[in-house]
Amino acid sequence: MLIREATREDWAAIWPFFHGIVAAGETFTYPTDLGEDEARDWWLLAPPHRTVVAVDGTGTVLGTAKMNRNHLGNGGHIAGASYMVDPACSGRGVGRALCAYSLEWARTAGYRAMQFNAVVETNTYAVKLYESLGFTVLGTLPEGFRHPAHGYVGLHIMHRAL
Amino acid sequence: MLIREATREDWAAIWPFFHGIVAAGETFTYPTDLGEDEARDWWLLAPPHRTVVAVDGTGTVLGTAKMNRNHLGNGGHIAGASYMVDPACSGRGVGRALCAYSLEWARTAGYRAMQFNAVVETNTYAVKLYESLGFTVLGTLPEGFRHPAHGYVGLHIMHRAL
């Protein structure tokens, strides 16, 4: 697996699984009907922020991550990141590799911590992954997310010092 | 004191204290050198979001608040808000009135809770005010804010159900 800069040409490979994940409405606080043009603008970030893809030996896109500043001004030393992995490629360590990469990016870029603003508490796969990489739950917004199957569930705010 | 919709004509009265508060860099995660045009675009929100001013009997602007959605998609029932009070008018209950107003706005608009993403922990005046209006600290981002006098201090995430 290789992690490299995402290009606009990668979008055609990202959008199918991106769209499926967002439309399912179980893990992201994005509009479930988010259109492709807006989605592309949200996801493919310009420098100094970054968007990457994880690809296999054949060049197939397995997943993607975006990395950005999470607070401005005197909170500007706090980074944020988001990840999407093609469900067809789950279980291959793609999410872990993308998360570890984003932590290294943030550290190198001079950020002092990474914060996730809204991790759906029923997304236990992601929560456990983040915890295994050193994140802790700072707090949980009660009933912050209306899950299509579970109803109102919490949104974790997660943090890892760098 | 009256709280009413802010207009673009109010901006000339807002900007001097807005600029002073932001440039001081003690309470907001805004760039301390935020320019006036960008500040106006950030603060004067279009519907369905709202920006209001608190004025006295002579029409003088005492403070201002903006109210907005804090999460999108299936987190779209969580509101957010920000407040600025002219320091020359402190101690007159302006901040309390603006905060109470925003809670009522959010409740009426159908939001289920109000969340503040970044309350500087050394801004004890604001923290106590919010707590007196029913907010609790969900968690604190350690060293999330570089205070010009106190160094790295925490950023509270605060919440109130509606």
Side-chain angles (χ1 to χ4, degrees), chain B:
Chain B
M1 189 188 331
L2 173 76
I3 294 176
R4 63 161 173 78
E5 210 75 24
T7 67
R8 291 186 72 84
E9 289 66 43
D10 291 317
W11 180 254
I14 295 170
W15 173 244
F17 66 83
F18 183 112
H19 175 62
I21 289 167
V22 171
E26 297 180 344
T27 53
F28 272 76
T29 53
Y30 289 1
T32 53
D33 61 352
L34 184 67
E36 183 171 358
D37 288 346
E38 196 169 14
R40 186 175 49 228
D41 289 345
W42 283 16
W43 197 260
L44 299 182
L45 303 180
H49 299 156
R50 285 192 75 204
T51 303
V52 298
V53 286
V55 298
D56 68 11
T58 70
T60 300
V61 172
L62 311 173
T64 178
K66 73 177 173 77
M67 295 154 254
N68 51 274
R69 178 166 278 116
N70 194 47
H71 291 287
L72 299 172
N74 286 341
H77 55 286
I78 307 295
S82 301
Y83 317 98
M84 292 210 195
V85 174
D86 186 342
C89 307
S90 68
R92 293 167 58 178
V94 180
R96 170 175 297 274
L98 288 168
C99 187
Y101 183 97
S102 68
L103 288 170
E104 192 54 32
W105 166 79
R107 192 182 289 113
T108 304
Y111 289 97
R112 292 170 56 94
M114 177 80 80
Q115 179 186 15
F116 300 149
N117 301 317
V119 181
V120 180
E121 67 179 347
T122 49
N123 189 5
T124 53
Y125 185 87
V127 174
K128 285 178 184 166
L129 170 61
Y130 301 151
E131 287 178 337
S132 77
L133 287 167
F135 284 83
T136 57
V137 174
L138 288 183
T140 305
L141 181 65
E143 302 191 349
F145 190 81
R146 190 171 62 169
H147 191 285
H150 303 300
Y152 288 102
V153 299
L155 279 178
H156 292 320
I157 297 106
M158 300 191 72
H159 169 264
R160 187 196 193 284
L162 298 173

